[in-house]
Amino acid sequence: MIKNKFLRAVLPGIRAKLSFFTAALVISILGFTSIIHYSQQTKALEEKLESELKAPLEYVNSVVLDLENLSRSMILIEEFKVRVKEKKKQLSKFKRTVVQKEGGLFGALKAFGQSIGLNVKRGNVYKSVDTYFTRYLSEKEIQEFESKVRNELRKENGAPIDAPVYEKIRSIAEKTALARISAETSKARIEEIAEELKFLDTELAKADLDPKKKKTYLTDKDKLEKERKASEKAIPDGEKKAAAGETALTKALQNFFRGSFKDRISSLGLLPDKIRILAYDRVGKETLDTGLLFSQSSETGKKLLAQADFVESRKGLFGDTDVLEVIQNKSEPESYEVGGRQYEVVYRPVFRNPSTAERSRSMAEEIVENPKDWAKYLEEDRKISAEIAEISQRLKTRMSELRKDGKAKPSSDKEFKNLALAYRQMLKKRDTKLEQLQPYSSVFEKNEKKWNDDHKSLKDKIASTSKEILEWEKLLKFPPKEGENKTSPEEIQEKIRVLESQEEEYKDSLIRLESTKGDWGNSYERKAEDAFFGLREAALEDFTFIPFKTGPAGIRRYYKDENERKSVKIKWRLLREWILSGNSETELPKTPKGIAWDSGILVRSRSEAEEVMWALDSTPLVAPGEEEGKGLVYDLLRKDLLGYNIILIDRTEGIRQMRSNREEMIRYTGIIGTIAILLAYGLAWFVVRRIRVISKNAELIGDGNLNVEFPPAGYDEIGVLSESLNDMVHGLKEREEMKGELLAAEEIQKRLLPEKLPSSLNDYVEFGAFYKAMTGVGGDYYDFIELGGGKIAICIGDVSNHGVGPAIVMALFRAQIQAILRKGERDLKKILLEANAYQYEDTPDHIFITFFLAIFDSNTSRLEYISAGHVKPLFFDASDGKIKELPAGGLPIGMDENSFFETTIERRVLTLDSGDIFFEYTDGLDEARSPSSDMYTRERLAKLLQANGEKRPEELIKTIVTDVESHTQQDLSATGFSNLSDDIAMIAIRKR
């Protein structure tokens, strides 16, 4: 209490505090509301832009992919035209020469002449025939492929492309294909030259080489060196021309589709004046700009495109920057302010094969987030990849031998079939390891169980509701008989209506639940597992086919539809089987009914797909730890990167509006806060006048004057306070009197407990004990009663509830136990029966006593004990240093008659060896609560006993008390009231 008048005058009073508090509260509420409102506006703006951007961005992604596929397809067509001619030359060496007799008219006449005895000779005809290895994609297949691609090139009105326009685009594709083939041919020739030079160097190194041969070899070597230099120079020239051709082809295709792009993007709701999308290929060349399609969009972000920070950030997408690093660093939008306008820039990677890219990304993220979960499988994958690499090398060697021989196709070769079988077995082993080592089996089982439980629950609810509806409808048709409860028809119809509505809700929920069956769209774990299973399969499919459709719709459909997944996996298996069977180079196997080869256009022969399959299966998913960021996962992700979409969003208007709203809110907050302060000050002045009178009288009470009376102050809270303070003063008087009485009662109860621990058996055992009442006096009790002859009785009990009443019951019970023992009764069961008879008759039904009684005989070191509903004792066995829980039980004393009580109690015997400790306590110990309401627990007590089992009982008890004080933050040695949740008593006996 502040007694200094100067401080009273200086320090702020209630009026100032209430005014300040009111102002702070109002301003805080308004400020908090403003923040929430601003945050909601920002979120709403982002969601609106996101929703507006989603469809156009997906379309732009598909446009980029479609242009890439069309460009790639047209270049492939031209490559195929050249390669088919080259292949015919290359594969002609695998043709077989067949000898036949001369045929035709002359052959028939000669044969007839021979048959009639004429001296004519029929000559042999040598004919070259195709073998398995001379077959490749035919010109007819290429024409069909070109027809499908050309069919994709349609005008805005759906009409086919004009022949001159197509020829112009085809001409660009042809030049690009020739440049690419030139670069590839030069690379292949360099490898051949290296082998030839190696041979020449070996020959020239021979000491006995003929001088003429040496001169010839040196001339040949000089020619090869010059040819290698020319080829090395031709490679960058060819690649440069190919890159320029690809860019020109993309622009030509883009110009052709320009009108349809614009119409489609407009129909999707893109805001040209707010959003601009730019597409770049992986080297940084622009492939699409909505600013060129829409005049409104051409100015969006124009200044931003030239800003140094943005240019530098954009450069970070290209060059040697790793795609994974870009995805991680550019995952969040970037904000820019240019010329007073606010821009947000979003970066999105575009992948050539979304199915493979999605799996690669999913797997890369999973490996980073849960490396330990997949460590074992990745290690197995490396081992299996190494084994497949060995088989692949043997298959490659065998295929070379079969090509040289040219007589048999692979499917009829025993060695090839054996190697293919071994290859299949390794693939099966890899799938089996994935099933065994993937970490999400328990998650899948749990999710499936939950789905089944929810499904069953909904069906049960529908059946139950339907049954209840029928019962009510029956009641509507057949009214109740006299004497039965009657319900009006209107009430019955209302009940039926409610139940039918509920049934419809259950049915709708069931339909929604069943629609999620097999849907992996929201299952991170399923996607992760599928990525490990399907990455190689998807990559092989992407290499072998050019897809009819592009974009992420395919992978989304795959995740959502279980039948789609089954269909895709069947096609993957058939594709593998086609490659491994070696039956045909260009004819795919038949698919089961209902499944079609809709993966796209087959653009690779079996042998070409085989080479890629070997590479995919021989490369581990992830390289060992020291080669971080290497492996098939990362290789495919980098290879599939087509480029990036950069989205420029002009958020100026939205941010300006939000800022304007915020400033207006601040103005209103200031005005409302000022008014609130003035009103609060006036109200506080009125209230404080009455509080001052109460405050002065309260100071007198603080000085110890309990004869003060507070004057009436009305019927509001202050008036109630005045009356309450009068009651409080009266209560304080009574409390002071009661406090003195309780202190006296506490002192009396302490005298009922043993003043000191027994010493007559100190040569045999040591004792320890502790007692603390929750309210000064309590219902817990312990005692040591010496019986003579080297025996001592040990008691501990707990009366239900706590306070003065239980303390009286415990005092009476103590006297009864001591009286029974003094008259010589030593049968523990009889002692408890006699005590129960007294208590059952003399105490109310809600009062009972849990009691533990034991007699220790120093002559035999045996402890005979019996329990009446008390907690089980703890025993420290010195022989093994472990804590054991002793059996106990029984019904508490005073709860039932002896006829039943006797059946629940049982006498038990325990022999103490040197160092053993017997410990018993009341439940107030293990139920002692911390300030945060955590219990002390029996487990904590047992651990403490085990850790301190070598100590003397008194020291052990002190250790426990200290630990309980630390847990409860209570001083257990203090007298009077405490904040304990119950009384505490404990005893310990240790055999010397």
Side-chain angles (χ1 to χ4, degrees), residues 343-362:
Y343 293 98
E344 188 174 271
V345 180
V346 180
Y347 300 90
R348 293 286 185 270
V350 182
F351 293 97
R352 179 177 287 107
N353 300 303
S355 175
T356 302
E358 175 64 24
R359 288 182 172 90
S360 297
R361 286 181 65 174
S362 178

Side-chain angles (χ1 to χ4, degrees), residues 257-281:
F257 288 110
R258 185 187 187 93
S260 60
F261 290 168
K262 181 178 179 179
D263 293 342
R264 178 61 176 154
I265 292 174
S266 296
S267 69
L268 292 173
L270 182 73
L271 303 175
D273 59 330
K274 295 288 189 297
I275 300 171
R276 183 175 182 177
I277 303 174
L278 301 99
Y280 294 86
D281 64 15

Side-chain angles (χ1 to χ4, degrees), residues 97-132:
T97 302
V98 179
V99 181
Q100 296 177 339
K101 291 293 184 180
E102 185 178 2
L105 178 62
F106 289 104
L109 290 173
K110 289 180 180 180
F112 177 74
Q114 287 179 340
S115 65
I116 60 176
L118 296 176
N119 187 19
V120 290
K121 289 185 178 181
R122 187 180 176 190
N124 292 329
V125 177
Y126 296 88
K127 186 177 181 182
S128 180
V129 296
D130 283 328
T131 66
Y132 174 87

Side-chain angles (χ1 to χ4, degrees), residues 80 84 87 91 130-142 144 148 409-410 544-545 574-575 578-579 581-590 597 600-610:
F80 283 154
V84 165
K87 280 284 183 181
L91 300 177
D130 283 328
T131 66
Y132 174 87
F133 294 102
T134 60
R135 295 186 180 92
Y136 190 65
L137 296 172
S138 66
E139 292 181 0
K140 180 182 177 182
E141 289 170 320
I142 295 169
E144 289 176 357
K148 290 177 180 178
K409 61 181 179 180
T544 312
F545 297 90
L574 289 174
L575 179 59
W578 172 61
I579 296 171
S581 64
N583 275 320
S584 171
E585 282 293 295
T586 58
E587 186 177 348
L588 291 168
K590 291 182 179 180
W597 281 109
I601 301 167
L602 181 69
V603 293
R604 306 291 179 187
S605 67
R606 189 206 70 84
S607 296
E608 290 171 332
E610 184 177 48

